Amino acid sequence: MAEKKEYRGSIHQRQKELMLTWYDKLNQAAETGNPPTVSMMISGNCVELLEGFGAVPIYPEVNALQLAIRHQSLDPILAAEELGYAADNCAYVKADIGCILKGITPTEGKLPTPTLILCNFVGCNTYLKWFEHTAKLQKAPLYVIDVPFMRADEPTLADVDYVVKQLQETVKKLEQLTGRKFDYDRFQQAVECSSRTEELWSQIKHLARRRPSPFDAYFDAITLMGPLYVYRAKPEGVEFFEAALAELQSKCDAGKGVYEQEHFRVVMEGPPPYPYFRTFRDMFAKWQACAVASTYSTVGGLWEFGFRHDPAKPFESVAMHMIAQNVTNRNYLQRYEQIRRYVEDWNADGVIIHFVKSCRLFSAGQGDMRDYFTKQLGVPTLYIESDLEDPRYFAEAQTRNRIDAFFESLEHAKATASVRSA
Amino acid sequence: MRIAAGVDVGSTQAKAVIMSDNGGLKILGRALVDTGANVQRAAERAFDSCCQAADLRTGDVGMVVGTGYGRYKIAFGNTQMTEITCHAKGASFLCPGTRTVIDMGGQDSKAISVGASGEVLDFVMNDKCAAGTGRFLANSAEVMGISLDEVGPLSLQAKHPVKIATVCTVFVESDILSYLAQGKTAEDVLGGVHIAIAKRTLSLARRLNIEPEITMTGGVARNIGMVWALETVLGKKMQVSPDAQYMGAVGAALFGLEKLDQSFETGVWRGDHAVSGGH
Amino acid sequence: MNKLERTFDICSGLDFPTVSEWKQIHPGGKAIAYFPVYAPTELIHAAGMLPVGLSGAGDRLDIQHADARFGSFICSIVKTTLEMGLTGRLDPFDGFLFSTICDSARNLCFVMKRNFPNMYVDFLHLPHNPSSPAAAQFLVNEYRRVLAELERLAGRTVSDDALRNSIVLYNRNRALIRELYRLRTLRPQQIPTWELYQLVRMGNFLPVEEHSAQLEAALAGFQSRPAKPRDSIRIAVEGSFCEQPPLTLIRLIEDAGCYIVDDDFVIGQSWFDSDVPADGDPVQALASSYLDRSVYSSVRHDFRKPRWDGLVEKVRRTRADAVLFLIAKFCEPAYFDYVPYKEELERAGIPHLQLEFEEKSFTFDRLRTEIETFVESLIFD
C-alpha cells in the first residue's frame, strides 16, 4: 500500500496552538474591541508595523483556506454567488464574503470588524477589489498601500520611497483609528524579530536540498507557514522556528526523509487544492515524491535567497520586502527564474505546475512556463488543474491519472538510464 | 511462449488485446465491449471475449495489465499503467517511427511526445471537458439527426465549412441549429464542426513539439473526416492504424510481455499498483 | 458595407496596415503598441513615434498557439494578442506597453517579454492609491522612466515643448470624443453607436492628427443629420473597457430597441474628463491628470470615491433608463465590480441586465433574445 507519511513532529502541534491562540486574540478583539485589528493580505504584508500599535493581523486568506481544508468552503462561496459574484471570480474572495454575510468563522470564536482594512496591493489586482468589497460590506475604513510592481530586476529608489511614504501614512491613519501613538521602538524590535525568523525559515528551506529532504517543502511548508505571517515579528515566532529548525535538523542528521525512500524530488508551482489537501498529497506520496521547493510557500516572503528585514532601516526594509521579496509582486519571468534555481540548486527531477482556476496571478500564462521548462530547459514538467478553494473544480481521477502518467514516465527514464549505465 | 493481455477500460468502451512473444510480437486477438455501468464486469467481458477471439483459455494468459480510467477496477489484473504510457507504447509498436501521438477518445483527448523506444517524454491532456473529443462529435450528430458513422464522410463533402467559434459541446448545439436555420447544408456545418475540433486538438498538441511520425489513436481515428481535418490543419500526414482504438490495450499487453520477460524491472511494478479495490 | 465600415475594416486589419503606411511616410519611424485600457499616448507621440492601441483580434483569428501558453478561464483578448504576436502580425511594432489593469494582462506582458526578447516591452505601474500625496511624484517618476526608454528607442530626446504640443493634440482628440458622446446623449437618434464606435476606435490605429480631423468631419455630419427620435430605451453600457464586443453585437443592441446613451467601449481613448493642462511641467500635468481627471473604471482604484457612485451619477447625468453590463467572458475586474455596481443600482431603483460576450462570436441568437426580453420588460413596465 502507498505510504501516507507526512511530517508530524512536535512543532506541528505547536503550530496549531499558536494559530488557535491567534484566533482567540481575534475573538477577544471582537468581544471587547481590544486589541485593534488590521486586515491584510499575506503576500507582502507589513505585520511589523502592527507591532508598533499592539495590533493583531486578520488574514482573510487564512480564514478562507482554513474553511476549505475543513470542507466548509462551498456554503459561503454559494452565498457570495447568490449576491452576484461570478463563477470565474476568485473563490477565496467569495468564501470570505460569504463568511461575512453568514457570520461563519473558521473556529468557534468570532472575528472582529477590523479597525483598518489595509490592502497591501502587491501584484494581485484581486486583492484590491476584495478589500474594497469587504470595506463596503463591513463598513470599515480602507487604506491601500500601492506597491509598485517588479517591472525591472530591482526596485528603483522612487519605488521604495513611494512605499515608505505610504507606510508612514498608514501609521498616521492607525494613530487616528486606534487612538494610540505609534511605538517606533517596538516597531524596530519587531523588524529585528522578523529578521531572525526569516533566517531560521531560510535555513529550514535549505535543509530540503539534502538527500533525503527531512520535510516536504510544499505540503509540510504550507502547514508550517501560518506562524510566518502571524508571528514573524514576535518572539513566539522566533522560538517556534528555532524549534522547527532543530527538529528538522536532527531528522536530517539521522538521514531521515519524508518517506522510507525518497524516490522523486519535485518543485511545486501554484497553490494547493485546499478542499482536497490530503487527497492531493496522497497522489504524490504514492510515488514517494517529495517536494524540495515550492513557489507558493514564498507568498509570505522569499527568504531563501538572502534577503532579511533590517532593523537599522525598518521602514525601508519593510518596503523592500513588500516590493521585491514575495512571490506575488515579482514578475512572471522572475518566477521562472525562481523555479529554475530550485530545480538546479535543490536537485529536482521535475516541476509540477498546478493551475488554479481562481488565481490568475499564479495561473495566467502557466502554459508558457511549461513551454520554458520543457522546451527550453528540458526539465520534465507536469501540468495539472483544479482550484484552491472551490471544491467543485477537482477531478480526482483525471488528476491522479496525469500524476501517475508523469511519474511512470520519470520512472521509465530512470530505469533506462540505470540499464544503460549498468 | 509468453502471452500477455492488455485491458483498457475507458468510460464508454472497454477493449482487450492479447499478444504473444514467440520470437516475434504478435496480436492473437482483440475485443471491444461497451463499458456500461459496471466497470469491473465490462473488463471481464472484454477479457473473456478476447480470449475467445484468440482461441485461448483465460489461464493461458500469463500477465494481465489494466489501463484506462477503469484500471483500478480490474480485479483479475496483475498490475496497471496509465493509458498515456500505454498509448505511447502501442502506437510505437503498430506505427513505427511514431514520435507524436494524438489520441482522441470518447471523453478526453491527449497528445503525447514519444521517444524512440515508445517511452513517454511529455504529454498534455484535455480531460476537463468534451471539447475536441468524440463526445463533441456525438452531440453534434445528435443535434443534426445524423448517425455518428455518417458525420465523417459527410464532412468531407463540405464546400464552404461554417465557422464555429465555440468549443463548448453544449453551446455548439445552438450554433449548429443557427446555421441550419440560415440554410447552411449539413455538409458545410459538419465540415465546420470537424475543423473546429481539429483546431482545438492541435492547439492542445502544440504545447509539445509535434514531430513526425504523428500517429492518431483512439476511437475518433475511425472518422475519416476527422483524420482529414487534422491533416489539413496540421499540414502534415498522420499515421492511422486500423487498430487505433486498441492502442492502449496493445501497449498494456506489450508491457505485460516485458514484465514476463523481466526485461523491465522498475519501481513502476511495485505492489501498490496491483489492484485490490483501487484507491 | 458603407464607407465607414470599409475604412474601419481596413484600419483594424490584422496586419496593421495603417502602421505600415505611417512608416512609409516616416522612414525610420517607430510604432509602439499599447494594451488596453489607458496609456499615456502623449509620451509616445512626443518621441516622434506612433502609438497604436491593441484590442485583440476580434473574430478574425483562430487561436492556434496562444492557448498553449494561456489556458482556460482567461479572456480572449489576452490570447488573441499573444496569437498575433506568435504569428508575426505584431512585427510592424517596435515595442509594447502594458499597465496595471489586471493580473492576466500583466502576466501577458512578461510572457511577451520572454517570447519577443528583442522588443521593447514595458510595464507601466499606474497608481492605485491616489489619496497619497506621494502618488503624484511616483507617477511622474514612472512616466519619466518610460519616457527615457522611448527616447532611447527613438534615438532622440523629448523636450517639454514637444510633450506640451502632444498634450494639446490629444486634448483636442479627447474633447472631440467627449463632444460626440455629449451629442449622442442629447440626441441619440443622430449618432447611432455602431457608427460612433467605429469612429472612436479608429483612434487606436490612426495618427492623432488624422483621427481628430475625421472626428471633426463626423461631428459636423452628425449635427446636420436629420433623424427622428425613436421610441427606444436609453441604456448605458458598462464593462466593455478592454476586450471589445463584436460590432454585430453593438448593432444588435440598437436594433433591439435601445439607444446607447453612454458606454465605456475603448474608454482609454477619452480617459480624462477635461483637458490636461498644456502649460507648466507636462509630465506633472499628465501625472496629476491621471490621478484627478480620470473617469472611473473597473481597472482604476481610487478609494476616495467609490466607482459605484460614479456609475449611478453617470446614469443620472445621461438620463439612462437602464444599465447593460456587457462583460467579456472571464473578465475578472468587470465581474468583481458587477456586485457593488448592481447593489447601488438596485438601491437607486435603476434596472440593469448582465450579458457576457466573447470578442470572437459568430452567432448571436441567445444574446438577441435576452436583450429583446429586457427591452420589452422595460417598455411594458
Side-chain angles (χ1 to χ4, degrees):
Chain A
M1 209 49 216
E3 292 193 50
K4 289 182 200 243
K5 286 264 189 77
E6 67 184 73
Y7 180 69
R8 271 191 186 272
S10 68
I11 59 166
H12 189 94
Q13 192 51 40
R14 178 70 187 133
Q15 175 267 132
K16 270 192 176 163
E17 282 164 18
L18 283 172
M19 298 302 271
L20 283 171
T21 308
W22 169 51
Y23 274 114
D24 277 342
K25 262 262 149 64
L26 291 178
N27 183 59
Q28 183 195 323
E31 300 202 316
T32 68
N34 260 310
T37 55
V38 178
S39 224
M40 281 190 300
M41 291 300 171
I42 289 175
S43 198
N45 71 70
C46 49
V47 75
E48 292 81 9
L49 213 68
L50 273 56
E51 286 298 304
F53 291 97
V56 177
I58 303 173
Y59 288 118
E61 285 159 290
V62 175
N63 298 339
L65 72 85
Q66 290 285 342
L67 280 170
I69 287 191
R70 292 156 216 239
H71 307 290
Q72 290 167 2
S73 57
L74 187 57
D75 274 346
I77 289 173
L78 291 173
E81 288 181 354
E82 268 165 48
L83 203 62
Y85 287 94
D88 299 312
N89 283 137
C90 171
Y92 259 179
V93 181
K94 289 191 283 190
D96 187 44
I97 301 278
C99 283
I100 296 172
L101 288 172
K102 298 186 94 171
I104 303 173
T105 67
T107 63
E108 303 295 310
K110 299 201 205 84
L111 287 172
T113 300
T115 313
L116 175 67
I117 294 184
L118 183 63
C119 178
N120 41 311
F121 170 54
V122 281
C124 173
N125 279 267
T126 300
Y127 277 179
L128 284 163
K129 306 246 184 238
W130 187 349
F131 274 17
E132 273 184 337
H133 290 202
T134 53
K136 184 178 199 270
L137 202 56
Q138 296 183 293
K139 301 194 185 14
L142 170 70
Y143 186 85
V144 175
I145 302 182
D146 180 25
V147 180
F149 191 70
M150 284 292 277
R151 50 229 188 280
D153 288 336
E154 293 298 327
T156 63
L157 289 171
D159 290 343
V160 178
D161 188 62
Y162 182 39
V163 176
V164 168
K165 292 219 164 74
Q166 290 174 87
L167 287 170
Q168 288 163 345
E169 286 164 33
T170 307
V171 165
K172 291 217 170 49
K173 189 99 190 160
L174 279 170
E175 283 182 335
Q176 274 169 25
L177 291 168
T178 63
R180 299 181 182 189
K181 202 90 190 68
F182 180 60
D183 187 335
Y184 182 86
D185 288 334
R186 272 195 71 178
F187 169 53
Q188 207 168 20
Q189 282 160 26
V191 172
E192 216 260 306
C193 255
S194 286
S195 72
R196 290 165 62 203
T197 321
E198 290 145 20
E199 172 59 33
L200 294 161
W201 182 243
S202 171
Q203 287 188 39
I204 290 172
K205 287 288 197 76
H206 278 266
L207 285 181
R209 293 169 71 171
R210 312 274 194 92
R211 280 185 194 271
S213 165
F215 73 107
D216 186 292
Y218 185 60
F219 297 104
D220 291 327
I222 289 172
T223 313
L224 296 175
M225 252 177 1
L228 192 62
Y229 323 131
V230 183
Y231 293 95
R232 176 174 79 226
K234 294 175 102 65
E236 292 96 308
V238 179
E239 281 159 28
F240 174 77
F241 286 105
E242 273 172 349
L245 178 61
E247 215 164 282
L248 291 172
Q249 183 70 63
S250 65
K251 264 194 96 177
C252 243
D253 295 338
K256 282 187 159 202
V258 176
Y259 306 110
E260 275 293 314
Q261 254 222 308
E262 184 184 83
H263 230 87
F264 297 108
R265 296 165 66 87
V266 293
V267 179
M268 302 285 288
E269 145 75 3
Y274 279 115
Y276 302 94
F277 197 75
R278 208 47 236 246
T279 308
F280 192 58
R281 181 174 195 151
D282 289 344
M283 292 180 183
F284 292 93
K286 168 177 156 181
W287 293 92
Q288 289 142 315
C290 182
V292 295
S294 61
T295 50
Y296 181 67
S297 64
T298 63
V299 295
L302 191 56
W303 313 116
E304 47 265 53
F305 299 137
F307 175 80
R308 305 281 174 267
H309 275 101
D310 183 357
K313 299 185 191 148
F315 278 106
E316 263 178 43
S317 61
V318 167
M320 270 306 265
H321 164 232
M322 294 175 83
I323 301 169
Q325 302 295 335
N326 59 80
V327 80
T328 63
N329 209 46
R330 292 165 70 90
N331 70 59
Y332 223 56
L333 298 180
Q334 288 177 316
R335 195 166 341 141
Y336 292 9
E337 195 38 40
Q338 183 183 352
I339 297 172
R340 187 195 62 75
R341 246 180 116 164
Y342 288 150
V343 171
E344 286 173 20
D345 298 345
W346 269 253
N347 274 296
D349 301 311
V351 176
I352 315 284
I353 298 176
H354 181 223
F355 172 98
V356 292
K357 174 184 180 297
S358 277
C359 182
R360 286 166 180 78
L361 180 140
F362 260 104
S363 308
Q366 274 174 338
D368 189 78
M369 184 188 288
R370 204 190 103 81
D371 184 88
Y372 171 68
F373 283 101
T374 53
K375 293 191 190 163
Q376 204 166 320
L377 298 186
V379 174
T381 304
L382 172 67
Y383 184 94
I384 46 182
E385 310 167 69
S386 74
D387 190 53
L388 45 68
E389 177 80 7
D390 193 326
R392 299 171 290 184
Y393 293 97
F394 187 78
E396 189 172 329
Q398 285 87 328
T399 306
R400 193 190 300 281
N401 208 32
R402 292 195 198 186
I403 292 172
D404 283 350
F406 179 70
F407 286 114
E408 276 171 10
S409 141
L410 283 190
E411 188 67 59
H412 288 151
K414 265 193 183 171
T416 319
S418 65
V419 160
R420 264 197 223 116
S421 62
Chain B
M1 178 166 76
R2 288 184 294 273
I3 299 179
V7 181
D8 178 0
V9 186
S11 44
T12 41
Q13 294 176 316
K15 288 109 11 194
V17 164
I18 295 177
M19 293 183 68
S20 66
D21 185 357
N22 191 19
L25 294 162
K26 204 170 121 184
I27 295 178
L28 300 177
R30 308 159 179 74
L32 184 151
V33 304
D34 285 335
T35 305
N38 191 323
V39 171
Q40 180 136 319
R41 252 201 299 217
E44 283 164 13
R45 280 186 292 123
F47 180 58
D48 289 340
S49 298
C50 193
C51 287
Q52 273 179 36
D55 200 22
L56 294 167
R57 293 163 312 186
T58 58
D60 294 332
V61 177
M63 178 79 55
V64 177
V65 177
T67 188
Y69 281 119
R71 66 185 184 277
Y72 291 106
K73 299 266 191 276
I74 305 172
F76 57 91
N78 301 101
T79 187
Q80 49 80 4
M81 291 190 96
T82 65
E83 72 275 21
I84 295 106
T85 307
C86 290
H87 271 260
K89 190 79 167 172
S92 237
F93 171 69
L94 287 170
C95 301
T98 294
R99 288 294 176 270
T100 310
V101 169
I102 294 179
D103 172 48
M104 292 176 72
Q107 289 202 154
D108 69 25
S109 56
K110 55 181 89 68
I112 312 170
S113 264
V114 182
S117 325
E119 73 272 25
V120 173
L121 299 175
D122 197 3
F123 68 93
V124 282
M125 292 188 69
N126 170 30
D127 48 14
K128 290 197 318 267
C129 72
T133 71
R135 179 62 58 87
F136 195 92
L137 280 166
N139 263 33
S140 306
E142 204 180 304
V143 158
M144 297 176 70
I146 297 176
S147 87
L148 192 50
D149 293 326
E150 291 176 76
V151 294
L154 276 174
S155 76
L156 289 176
Q157 293 173 47
K159 293 207 177 61
H160 305 287
V162 302
K163 286 198 212 168
I164 305 271
T166 181
V167 291
C168 174
T169 306
V170 173
F171 291 141
V172 80
E173 288 178 22
S174 63
D175 275 9
I176 288 175
L177 291 171
S178 221
Y179 280 125
L180 291 173
Q182 287 173 39
K184 305 283 183 194
T185 63
E187 289 83 352
D188 282 348
V189 173
L190 283 170
V193 166
H194 279 69
I195 290 176
I197 299 174
K199 285 183 168 170
R200 169 73 165 161
T201 306
L202 287 170
S203 203
L204 179 78
R206 279 199 194 86
R207 297 182 198 204
L208 313 171
N209 280 319
I210 301 183
E211 277 174 37
E213 299 296 323
I214 304 160
T215 300
M216 190 178 170
T217 67
V220 178
R222 293 178 304 151
N223 176 330
I224 51 172
M226 204 61 240
V227 177
W228 179 88
L230 282 167
E231 287 179 335
T232 305
V233 175
L234 192 55
K236 295 198 174 96
K237 277 220 98 33
M238 294 192 315
Q239 298 190 92
V240 185
S241 155
D243 279 324
Q245 260 190 306
Y246 295 97
M247 285 297 187
V250 167
L254 285 167
F255 279 121
L257 288 172
E258 282 179 6
K259 177 74 172 156
L260 284 171
D261 184 32
Q262 297 300 315
S263 69
F264 215 159
E265 198 57 63
T266 74
V268 159
W269 304 103
R270 283 166 291 175
D272 62 345
H273 272 250
V275 170
S276 44
H279 288 246
Chain C
M1 207 193 258
N2 69 12
K3 178 163 176 275
L4 172 63
E5 287 178 80
R6 241 179 300 129
T7 316
F8 180 69
D9 211 44
I10 293 168
C11 285
S12 54
L14 281 184
D15 300 302
F16 298 96
T18 54
V19 176
S20 322
E21 269 167 40
W22 182 88
K23 282 191 163 190
Q24 272 178 356
I25 303 172
H26 302 88
K30 303 222 153 84
I32 306 288
Y34 60 90
F35 196 78
V37 172
Y38 168 75
T41 40
E42 287 92 332
L43 299 179
I44 302 170
H45 182 268
M49 301 194 268
L50 179 69
V52 172
L54 293 175
S55 269
D59 63 6
R60 297 163 188 252
L61 197 58
D62 261 329
I63 296 170
Q64 285 290 285
H65 303 89
D67 56 358
R69 314 298 181 96
F70 283 90
S72 333
F73 309 115
I74 308 290
C75 56
S76 175
I77 188 178
V78 162
K79 294 197 251 193
T80 53
T81 303
L82 181 60
E83 186 74 23
M84 286 198 285
L86 294 173
T87 53
R89 289 174 163 93
L90 297 179
D91 288 352
F93 296 106
D94 304 279
F96 304 112
L97 193 57
F98 289 82
S99 65
T100 48
I101 71 156
C102 75
D103 292 348
S104 303
R106 185 199 51 241
N107 287 6
L108 174 63
C109 171
F110 293 94
V111 168
M112 299 274 285
K113 232 181 155 77
R114 174 191 167 226
N115 287 279
F116 305 101
N118 299 321
M119 280 283 205
Y120 164 61
V121 181
D122 208 343
F123 183 81
L124 186 60
H125 186 99
L126 294 169
H128 291 277
N129 183 11
S131 76
S132 168
Q137 188 54 49
F138 170 77
L139 190 54
V140 165
N141 286 327
E142 183 67 354
Y143 279 169
R144 287 205 188 284
R145 181 185 70 76
V146 171
L147 191 58
E149 295 288 343
L150 294 171
E151 285 174 329
R152 192 185 45 79
L153 202 62
R156 68 200 231 191
T157 51
V158 175
S159 68
D160 280 0
D161 274 341
L163 198 44
R164 278 186 212 108
N165 181 52
S166 302
I167 287 174
V168 167
L169 289 172
Y170 276 93
N171 274 344
R172 175 83 187 121
N173 191 266
R174 287 185 286 260
L176 283 164
I177 296 174
R178 286 198 299 269
E179 184 56 25
L180 282 162
Y181 269 59
R182 195 191 65 81
L183 182 60
R184 182 186 59 170
T185 305
L186 213 55
R187 288 192 285 280
Q189 65 275 16
Q190 277 183 298
I191 309 190
T193 297
W194 67 267
E195 288 187 53
L196 178 59
Y197 175 75
Q198 289 177 93
L199 278 165
V200 175
R201 196 167 146 192
M202 275 205 276
N204 274 351
F205 314 107
L206 297 172
V208 64
E209 301 89 336
E210 213 178 300
H211 187 232
S212 294
Q214 281 195 4
L215 292 177
E216 268 169 24
L219 184 58
F222 285 132
Q223 278 163 337
S224 60
R225 181 185 283 196
K228 268 207 311 247
R230 285 186 338 236
D231 188 16
S232 290
I233 307 288
R234 295 168 67 88
I235 62 162
V237 174
E238 181 76 32
S240 302
F241 43 82
C242 178
E243 179 171 323
Q244 292 300 293
L247 193 58
T248 312
L249 181 53
I250 297 174
R251 284 196 92 133
L252 192 155
I253 294 169
E254 297 188 291
D255 289 345
C258 298
Y259 280 140
I260 299 177
V261 296
D262 202 17
D263 62 60
D264 61 355
F265 300 136
V266 281
I267 196 168
Q269 302 284 96
S270 54
W271 191 252
F272 299 125
D273 57 19
S274 47
D275 283 350
V276 174
D279 51 2
D281 182 333
V283 177
Q284 293 265 16
L286 282 170
S288 62
S289 293
Y290 182 82
L291 295 172
D292 297 318
R293 264 178 241 276
S294 296
V295 296
Y296 80 87
S297 164
S298 289
V299 301
R300 193 175 70 81
H301 297 89
D302 182 350
F303 60 94
R304 296 173 298 185
K305 177 175 169 181
R307 291 185 290 295
W308 31 96
D309 287 353
L311 174 61
V312 174
E313 267 171 34
K314 178 163 84 170
V315 170
R316 299 226 158 97
R317 181 173 41 86
T318 59
R319 292 175 296 112
D321 298 317
V323 174
L324 174 62
F325 291 102
L326 202 55
I327 301 178
K329 199 171 164 118
F330 303 125
C331 178
E332 209 175 18
Y335 270 118
F336 265 122
D337 276 359
Y338 172 65
V339 177
Y341 279 170
K342 170 175 170 288
E343 213 169 72
E344 292 308 307
L345 288 181
E346 275 163 15
R347 191 174 306 194
I350 299 168
H352 54 88
L353 172 71
Q354 187 213 80
L355 291 178
E356 187 179 81
F357 73 89
E358 276 181 278
E359 60 177 343
K360 184 176 182 189
S361 305
F362 300 115
T363 55
F364 299 92
D365 298 331
R366 268 178 302 118
L367 288 169
R368 176 180 289 122
T369 308
E370 291 205 56
I371 296 167
E372 284 174 353
T373 309
F374 181 62
V375 171
E376 282 160 21
S377 77
L378 290 173
I379 293 179
F380 298 121
D381 221 354

